[in-house]
Amino acid sequence: MKVAKFGGSSVASAEKFQQVAKIIGADPKRKIIVVSAPGKRFNEDTKMTDLLIQLTGAVVSGRTYEKEMKLVLNRYEEIASQLSLKHTLIEQIESSLNGLIQEYQHDSLRLADALKASGEDNNAKLMAAYLNALGKEAHYVSPKDAGILVTDQPGMARVLPESYALLEKLRERSGILVVPGFFGYSKQGNIVTFPRGGSDITGSIVAAGVQAELYENFTDVDSIYCVNPTIVPNPKEIKDLTYREMRELAYSGFSVFHDEALQPVVKAGIAVCVKNTNNPAARGTYIVSERNYNDMPVVGIASDKGFCNIHVSKYLMNREVGFGRKLLEILEDEHISYEHTPSGIDNISVIMRENQWTKEVEERVIARIQAELEVDDITVERDLALVMVVGEGMNSTVGVAAKATNAFARAGVNIEMINQGSSEVSMMFGVKSASHDKAVRALYEVYFNEIFSISYSNLH
Amino acid sequence: MKVAKFGGSSVASAEKFQQVAKIIGADPKRKIIVVSAPGKRFNEDTKMTDLLIQLTGAVVSGRTYEKEMKLVLNRYEEIASQLSLKHTLIEQIESSLNGLIQEYQHDSLRLADALKASGEDNNAKLMAAYLNALGKEAHYVSPKDAGILVTDQPGMARVLPESYALLEKLRERSGILVVPGFFGYSKQGNIVTFPRGGSDITGSIVAAGVQAELYENFTDVDSIYCVNPTIVPNPKEIKDLTYREMRELAYSGFSVFHDEALQPVVKAGIAVCVKNTNNPAARGTYIVSERNYNDMPVVGIASDKGFCNIHVSKYLMNREVGFGRKLLEILEDEHISYEHTPSGIDNISVIMRENQWTKEVEERVIARIQAELEVDDITVERDLALVMVVGEGMNSTVGVAAKATNAFARAGVNIEMINQGSSEVSMMFGVKSASHDKAVRALYEVYFNEIFSISYSNLH
């Protein structure tokens, strides 16, 4: 049994619905389908979720919301009519939206959650109706019926562990089950949406619950690329990726889906396949527990800008028990989260996202560090980028680090920091933000463009 | 004004006393002399300090200590007679030792401290007498008279801040002042010894107190070497070294003196010169606040074996506020000190000295980490060595990291860890202990033996 999740762009129009139905029909193992709300059909288009947020805004402001409601219904209407589905479906959607508005009109957070969730919910109903119209046995299954129980804070749902046993029973149902993504039901009976990566989370929870053999995540790219395509045009595709490698790559934000969403399948050890709705023949990228990394110790280059480095030095620091812990405690106290803490004998660097380090925070935290830890010196370096070489084979392959540092030396990129721990899947380099693109391209050349890469035998 | 400290081997015999007198005479700025107790004259010799520890043992055991006392007096006697000093000096030493034994016989810790300190104290008296005999104005100055006030725990003296103002007055005294190293006086009137690097600490405190232009540390090597000579024979000498570089090098234990001892001069910004008593014409190594590192970004290779790495991984670790702090808190609670904590997205390594990580500690700490932090996986890697490339210019020079990683790749050394923080003076590599010597030699070749080093232009 496979669970297939279709993202917003994959269910944005009638043509996409047809494409999805074809994909479902091509593999009888695709038993459970998780759908997003209709996404953008073209660059300037508005997503259904945003139309629903506009509708919520109109309702909450107390003004008439006829126009906003019409925009929402039009999107469904267009899909339904092009697929020759009954118009009564749209009437049902309208009446259910009005019902939600009546129910939650005095609680704007709940209203927002319920209306946003309706985007996925109604799209799932349309998809089930369309599959039925094609003569397939298909059933819309609401998250309540499926057993997706979540915590009760609006917009911040977390799945409750008892959901998995309930979801397991979906295995016994007949036909194709169409489940809306993005939300669950709390024990208090409320519709509650997931915080980020909404439909991805639903797909992952359902796949874990039914112990699927594969969780297919359909989106609009053929695969995950080994480097950000906006920096390196037409980069190589990644065939296989481990969960750990995926996490490291997702760090830089170029992942096609939200890494946190995968936790349930990672725990259950279920493989994930990222595939293209528009080109289902392409193999896609598989995300798995283990891969054979002999041929490909490095799988990708991740990177991100917007970091700063707080560098603290104190003579004899390494003889002072608890210094590091005390420093981290001050940061925690100030609600600052950090990324890495490379250290020397008498100094430690704390690398963090720069947006947390305002002038005000800087003054207060530096004063605290000076007063409480009596350090000799504190310096702050801004405008840093982190560039990571990611791969399971990194650590057991002689020369992987040499490749990277040579690439930087040849490109004239100065390395500000290096951080690599034993049995890690990544090696991190800190560079100035101005060198970011140059650094990423240099690493891409050396790891993925063999013509330019150096052979170590030449170094003798 | 210079403060010159002579270590045990530099004041071990009459010939060495003559050599010291010649050195003092060669530079009228050498106004304050700090001396150790007589050290070894040959490999199988026993140091004065050890003779005094044996004497303490005999006294504390309640048996007759005539033999032990004789061995102590004989060492001084031999020096005094060969230098034609008056025999009454030896009688004074004997009576002062008996006085200490009487005074402290019921407090073995105080007795041990007082007798150990007498090794330096009596040697300083002999040195002053010898300089007088040569017709120089020289005065023995006891630490009490000089103003070296310390805390009162036997064997654990720490200098009290008010000492510096007292020591400053030494500037006004005439003649050469000979101060015994290794101990001070507590406000309670006790003789208390310093924990480690004894005479080095005294020299450093005195140099800071009198605001010396230079603190000369005379020992038995021409200079500090850029790498451990037992691993690389006849290594290059270091001409200039910053305090920070010295600290990093001292980490590996091949430093000629104890780095902690230098804190007072480091704070006062006083330069230190390591020179050879047996070859005072050699320039020596200067340890300074700043050096011009354009010509020599890397100054030395430090290394040490006996480390282990506790590697902890947990999916979504980097979203968990306080994870690192909690981990360090457990270690602190278990009295484990650590060296470095390189981290990835979902994992963190803690590198520590292996002697702390017994089987018993391992079981308890791993159980705590699992229970309190709910981690996915903990692995322990033993038999690690840390190898460090040290130099102020490391961080601003493109290609320094490439040199090191290339050297490892060519030597077939796998890098287990890398740790380099911004504006640090060292880059740390973790390797298997079995590869330690090979790694150190490879780095020496590439940084200090230019014939074998690669030019980066060849990499294009």
Side-chain angles (χ1 to χ4, degrees):
Chain A
M1 179 184 286
K2 294 179 186 174
V3 171
K5 179 252 159 184
F6 294 89
S9 65
S10 302
V11 287
S13 65
E15 291 91 324
K16 298 288 175 139
F17 269 59
Q18 290 164 335
Q19 179 66 10
V20 168
K22 225 184 281 174
I23 291 169
I24 296 170
D27 187 346
K29 285 186 171 172
R30 289 178 180 135
K31 284 270 298 175
I32 303 184
I33 311 303
V34 175
V35 295
S36 292
K40 290 184 178 188
R41 292 156 295 183
F42 43 88
N43 250 346
E44 293 73 31
D45 199 15
T46 308
K47 287 179 185 180
M48 174 60 84
T49 307
D50 291 336
L51 295 178
L52 290 162
I53 289 170
Q54 288 164 17
L55 174 60
T56 309
V59 173
V60 169
S61 71
R63 55 185 158 88
T64 167
Y65 49 83
E66 225 171 288
K67 200 188 90 201
E68 288 80 4
M69 177 66 89
K70 195 140 191 64
L71 286 170
V72 169
L73 294 175
N74 280 353
R75 280 295 300 267
Y76 291 122
E77 172 74 57
E78 190 185 303
I79 294 170
S81 69
Q82 288 182 19
L83 296 174
S84 314
L85 300 177
K86 278 179 288 185
H87 186 71
T88 50
L89 280 168
I90 306 306
E91 286 157 16
Q92 283 162 20
I93 290 175
E94 182 171 13
S95 104
S96 85
L97 288 173
N98 281 319
L100 291 172
I101 290 169
Q102 287 310 309
E103 188 177 349
Y104 290 118
Q105 61 183 327
H106 301 301
D107 185 340
S108 58
L109 284 178
R110 295 278 177 210
L111 178 69
D113 247 24
L115 288 183
K116 272 194 286 177
S118 77
E120 272 72 10
D121 200 48
N122 290 317
N123 220 28
K125 285 175 183 166
L126 280 191
M127 182 62 77
Y130 175 57
L131 294 173
N132 287 335
L134 293 176
K136 294 182 206 286
E137 185 192 349
H139 309 279
Y140 156 80
V141 180
S142 85
K144 193 179 217 163
D145 179 20
I148 303 178
L149 293 175
V150 297
T151 54
D152 197 42
Q153 312 95 298
M156 298 282 284
R158 290 183 76 95
V159 68
L160 296 175
E162 52 260 52
S163 300
Y164 295 105
L166 297 170
L167 285 163
E168 197 182 344
K169 301 209 177 105
L170 292 181
R171 291 181 68 91
E172 293 152 22
R173 301 220 192 160
S174 68
I176 294 162
L177 310 181
V178 185
V179 182
F182 192 36
F183 70 103
Y185 278 81
S186 69
K187 285 183 171 169
Q188 291 80 350
N190 290 313
I191 293 165
V192 195
T193 62
F194 290 116
R196 285 179 296 189
S199 299
D200 285 332
I201 297 183
T202 302
S204 179
I205 292 167
V206 172
V210 303
Q211 291 148 41
E213 65 186 80
L214 187 67
Y215 170 36
E216 294 181 309
N217 199 299
F218 281 89
T219 174
D220 52 6
V221 289
D222 276 0
S223 71
I224 298 179
Y225 296 110
C226 69
V227 68
N228 186 334
T230 65
I231 301 172
V232 178
N234 304 313
K236 297 236 161 99
E237 296 179 349
I238 299 176
K239 286 202 172 330
D240 299 295
L241 192 65
T242 68
Y243 300 133
R244 308 195 310 156
E245 290 171 331
M246 179 273 302
R247 272 282 293 158
E248 305 273 338
L249 288 175
Y251 186 66
S252 70
F254 79 84
S255 162
V256 288
F257 58 153
H258 200 267
D259 57 323
E260 209 163 333
L262 285 196
Q263 193 168 21
V265 283
V266 171
K267 279 208 166 171
I270 294 167
V272 180
C273 182
V274 175
K275 281 180 84 78
N276 191 349
T277 307
N278 311 313
N279 183 19
R283 179 185 181 276
T285 298
Y286 280 76
I287 309 173
V288 294
S289 316
E290 309 267 344
R291 69 177 180 93
N292 177 356
Y293 51 78
N294 291 334
D295 300 338
M296 197 144 210
V298 169
V299 84
I301 315 290
S303 65
D304 208 1
K305 293 185 199 175
F307 294 92
C308 65
N309 176 19
I310 318 308
H311 184 76
V312 177
S313 60
K314 180 177 187 177
Y315 196 73
L316 301 179
M317 181 188 288
N318 86 330
R319 301 271 161 76
E320 193 173 326
V321 173
F323 187 93
R325 191 258 312 150
K326 285 180 225 157
L327 178 63
L328 298 187
E329 221 160 56
I330 291 175
L331 297 177
E332 199 178 330
D333 210 34
E334 298 280 345
H335 307 290
I336 292 168
S337 69
Y338 59 90
E339 309 293 317
H340 301 284
T341 57
S343 59
I345 305 300
D346 289 337
N347 55 65
I348 183 163
S349 295
V350 182
I351 297 152
M352 61 182 73
R353 295 212 178 250
E354 205 161 14
N355 55 12
Q356 306 175 91
W357 194 258
T358 59
K359 267 285 155 206
E360 199 195 326
V361 168
E362 173 164 331
E363 272 172 35
R364 195 174 57 238
V365 174
I366 286 188
R368 281 195 64 180
I369 293 173
Q370 269 162 340
E372 296 171 33
L373 300 176
E374 297 174 330
V375 302
D376 295 337
D377 193 37
I378 309 181
T379 54
V380 177
E381 192 182 6
R382 292 179 173 272
D383 282 324
L384 290 176
L386 299 187
V387 181
M388 274 173 288
V389 181
V390 178
E392 293 276 351
M394 296 259 325
N395 206 22
S396 48
T397 312
V398 169
V400 170
K403 264 197 176 181
T405 52
N406 281 328
F408 286 139
R410 283 202 316 276
V413 172
N414 194 41
I415 304 170
E416 306 283 321
M417 287 166 276
I418 308 182
N419 186 328
Q420 184 211 344
S422 182
S423 73
E424 283 186 19
V425 291
S426 72
M427 188 180 297
M428 182 213 87
F429 299 93
V431 301
K432 298 268 183 217
S433 282
S435 303
H436 170 269
D437 289 8
K438 196 158 68 164
V440 170
R441 286 186 199 116
L443 290 178
Y444 180 78
E445 286 304 309
V446 85
Y447 287 110
F448 296 99
N449 239 355
E450 285 168 324
I451 302 163
F452 294 102
S453 78
I454 349 152
S455 139
Y456 291 100
S457 55
N458 294 344
L459 292 176
H460 281 283
Chain B
M1 180 184 287
K2 295 178 183 172
V3 171
K5 179 252 159 186
F6 293 90
S9 65
S10 302
V11 286
S13 65
E15 292 92 325
K16 297 286 174 141
F17 268 60
Q18 290 164 334
Q19 179 67 11
V20 168
K22 223 184 283 172
I23 290 169
I24 295 170
D27 187 345
K29 285 188 172 170
R30 288 178 180 137
K31 284 271 297 174
I32 304 184
I33 310 302
V34 175
V35 295
S36 293
K40 291 184 178 188
R41 291 157 296 183
F42 42 89
N43 247 347
E44 294 74 30
D45 198 13
T46 309
K47 287 178 184 178
M48 175 61 83
T49 306
D50 292 336
L51 295 178
L52 290 162
I53 289 169
Q54 289 164 18
L55 174 60
T56 310
V59 173
V60 169
S61 71
R63 53 182 160 88
T64 166
Y65 49 84
E66 228 171 285
K67 201 187 89 202
E68 287 81 3
M69 178 65 89
K70 200 145 187 59
L71 285 169
V72 168
L73 295 174
N74 280 352
R75 280 294 301 266
Y76 291 123
E77 173 73 57
E78 192 186 302
I79 294 170
S81 70
Q82 289 183 19
L83 296 174
S84 311
L85 299 178
K86 280 180 285 188
H87 187 70
T88 51
L89 280 167
I90 306 306
E91 285 156 18
Q92 283 162 18
I93 290 175
E94 183 171 13
S95 106
S96 85
L97 288 173
N98 281 320
L100 292 172
I101 290 168
Q102 288 309 309
E103 188 178 347
Y104 290 118
Q105 62 183 326
H106 300 301
D107 186 342
S108 57
L109 284 177
R110 295 277 177 212
L111 178 68
D113 247 23
L115 288 182
K116 273 193 287 175
S118 76
E120 273 71 11
D121 200 47
N122 291 316
N123 219 28
K125 286 175 183 165
L126 280 189
M127 182 62 77
Y130 175 55
L131 293 172
N132 288 335
L134 292 176
K136 295 183 205 282
E137 185 193 350
H139 309 278
Y140 157 80
V141 181
S142 84
K144 195 181 217 160
D145 179 19
I148 303 178
L149 292 174
V150 298
T151 54
D152 197 42
Q153 313 95 298
M156 297 282 283
R158 289 182 76 97
V159 69
L160 296 174
E162 52 261 53
S163 301
Y164 295 105
L166 298 170
L167 285 163
E168 197 182 345
K169 302 208 176 106
L170 292 181
R171 292 181 68 92
E172 293 150 23
R173 300 217 194 163
S174 69
I176 295 162
L177 311 180
V178 185
V179 182
F182 193 34
F183 71 103
Y185 278 80
S186 69
K187 286 183 173 169
Q188 292 81 350
N190 290 312
I191 293 165
V192 196
T193 63
F194 290 116
R196 284 179 296 189
S199 298
D200 285 332
I201 296 183
T202 302
S204 178
I205 292 168
V206 172
V210 302
Q211 293 148 39
E213 66 187 80
L214 186 66
Y215 170 36
E216 294 181 310
N217 199 300
F218 281 90
T219 174
D220 52 5
V221 291
D222 277 0
S223 69
I224 298 179
Y225 296 111
C226 69
V227 68
N228 187 335
T230 66
I231 301 171
V232 177
N234 305 313
K236 296 237 161 98
E237 297 178 348
I238 298 176
K239 287 202 175 323
D240 300 294
L241 192 66
T242 68
Y243 300 133
R244 309 194 310 155
E245 290 170 334
M246 180 273 304
R247 273 281 294 157
E248 305 274 337
L249 288 174
Y251 186 67
S252 70
F254 78 84
S255 162
V256 286
F257 58 149
H258 201 266
D259 56 325
E260 211 162 331
L262 285 196
Q263 193 168 21
V265 282
V266 171
K267 279 207 168 173
I270 294 166
V272 181
C273 181
V274 175
K275 280 181 84 75
N276 192 349
T277 308
N278 310 312
N279 182 20
R283 178 185 181 276
T285 298
Y286 280 74
I287 309 174
V288 293
S289 316
E290 308 268 345
R291 69 177 180 90
N292 176 355
Y293 51 76
N294 291 334
D295 299 338
M296 199 149 207
V298 169
V299 85
I301 315 290
S303 65
D304 208 0
K305 294 185 198 176
F307 294 92
C308 64
N309 176 20
I310 317 308
H311 184 78
V312 177
S313 59
K314 180 177 187 177
Y315 195 74
L316 301 179
M317 182 188 287
N318 86 330
R319 300 270 162 78
E320 194 173 324
V321 174
F323 187 93
R325 191 259 310 154
K326 285 180 223 157
L327 178 64
L328 299 187
E329 220 160 57
I330 291 175
L331 297 177
E332 198 178 332
D333 209 34
E334 298 281 343
H335 307 289
I336 292 168
S337 70
Y338 59 90
E339 308 293 317
H340 301 285
T341 56
S343 58
I345 305 299
D346 289 337
N347 55 66
I348 183 163
S349 294
V350 182
I351 297 152
M352 61 182 75
R353 296 215 178 249
E354 205 162 13
N355 55 11
Q356 307 174 91
W357 193 256
T358 60
K359 267 285 156 205
E360 200 195 323
V361 169
E362 172 164 331
E363 272 172 33
R364 194 174 57 240
V365 174
I366 286 188
R368 280 195 65 183
I369 292 174
Q370 270 164 339
E372 295 170 33
L373 299 176
E374 297 174 330
V375 302
D376 296 337
D377 194 36
I378 309 182
T379 54
V380 177
E381 192 182 6
R382 290 178 175 273
D383 283 324
L384 290 176
L386 299 188
V387 181
M388 273 173 290
V389 180
V390 178
E392 293 275 351
M394 297 259 323
N395 207 21
S396 49
T397 312
V398 168
V400 171
K403 264 198 176 179
T405 52
N406 281 328
F408 286 141
R410 283 202 315 276
V413 172
N414 194 42
I415 303 169
E416 305 283 321
M417 286 166 276
I418 307 181
N419 186 329
Q420 185 211 343
S422 181
S423 72
E424 283 185 22
V425 292
S426 73
M427 189 181 296
M428 184 214 85
F429 298 94
V431 302
K432 299 270 182 214
S433 281
S435 302
H436 170 268
D437 289 7
K438 196 158 68 166
V440 170
R441 287 188 198 114
L443 290 178
Y444 180 78
E445 287 304 308
V446 86
Y447 287 110
F448 296 99
N449 239 354
E450 286 168 326
I451 302 161
F452 294 101
S453 78
I454 349 153
S455 137
Y456 290 100
S457 57
N458 292 345
L459 293 175
H460 282 282

